[in-house]
Amino acid sequence: MITIALSKGRIFDDILPLLKSAGIEVLDDPDKSRKLILDTNQPDVRVLLVRATDVPTYVQYGGADMGVVGKDTLLESGTQGLYQPLDLQIAKCRISVAVREGFDYAAAMKQGSRMTVATKYVAIARDFFASKGVHVDLIKLYGSMELAPLTGLADAIVDLVSTGNTLKANHLVEVERIMDISSHLVVNQTALKLKQAPIRKIIDAFALAVKK
Ligand code: PRP
């Protein structure tokens, strides 16, 4: 049995064509079913639906043999014990700094001033501002980061931007792009040894589909 950990939403939608290229079709629709273990057309392949931030944990500890996870999550949670053979080039977006319309970001970034930044990506934000030599106070949030500058909780946010629609709808502007993000394949090291042939087959099919 090969168990693949996926998260609902962007990653799930974008991985379906790649799974198909490996001959795998998911039989349940996660939007209609409450099942967390989904069957596929391959009797020896199943899909686990987990939170995006839990994908590395499931794969690291062998709850899943492989998984698909955003680079943002990998950078934030660490990648101990995970084999990362492939950038799947899906669920592409970026991590950016955004502020309220009219906020003077350049002035706030000047050495000596102090800025408060709210984010789910504390490690990424800390590294970014440290590389600029700017001291920031970080506030950890778990969602709806856009609210922080609007309510005075923070001067800026560090968050994922895809279309930019969420920022726009909340009168925020993207002032700096920290890094581009896409989803990566991660594989449990032990599973790779014990189930080498079927796992390699999936990796190779994905690699071929990504190149097209
Ligand atoms: C992300 C991010 C933004 C939104 C940006 O949230 O936190 O809120 O997407 O997308 P856009 O630029 O296309 O508007 P996501 O949907 O991943 O959910 P989350 O709040 O659970 O992170």
Side-chain angles (χ1 to χ4, degrees), residues 10 51 94 120-121 142-146 159-167:
R10 262 189 277 254
R51 289 284 290 263
R94 54 197 185 270
K120 177 155 81 174
Y121 303 104
Y142 294 88
S144 300
M145 259 89 61
E146 294 81 7
D159 194 12
L160 289 184
V161 180
S162 176
T163 60
N165 289 340
T166 308
L167 292 181

Side-chain angles (χ1 to χ4, degrees), residues 110-167:
K110 283 211 182 99
Q111 299 256 340
S113 64
R114 236 180 142 100
M115 194 164 46
T116 307
V117 178
T119 186
K120 177 155 81 174
Y121 303 104
V122 172
I124 292 170
R126 188 187 297 116
D127 287 353
F128 172 72
F129 288 105
S131 76
K132 300 238 163 197
V134 177
H135 184 88
V136 294
D137 294 315
L138 290 167
I139 298 178
K140 168 97 185 181
L141 290 178
Y142 294 88
S144 300
M145 259 89 61
E146 294 81 7
L147 284 173
L150 303 178
T151 55
L153 185 67
D155 301 309
I157 58 170
V158 166
D159 194 12
L160 289 184
V161 180
S162 176
T163 60
N165 289 340
T166 308
L167 292 181

Side-chain angles (χ1 to χ4, degrees), residues 1-2 19 22-27 38-46 201:
M1 176 64 73
I2 299 292
L19 285 172
I24 301 164
E25 290 184 45
V26 182
L27 299 179
L38 310 182
D39 293 325
T40 74
N41 64 331
Q42 305 286 330
D44 54 352
V45 179
R46 62 180 186 168
K201 204 174 136 208

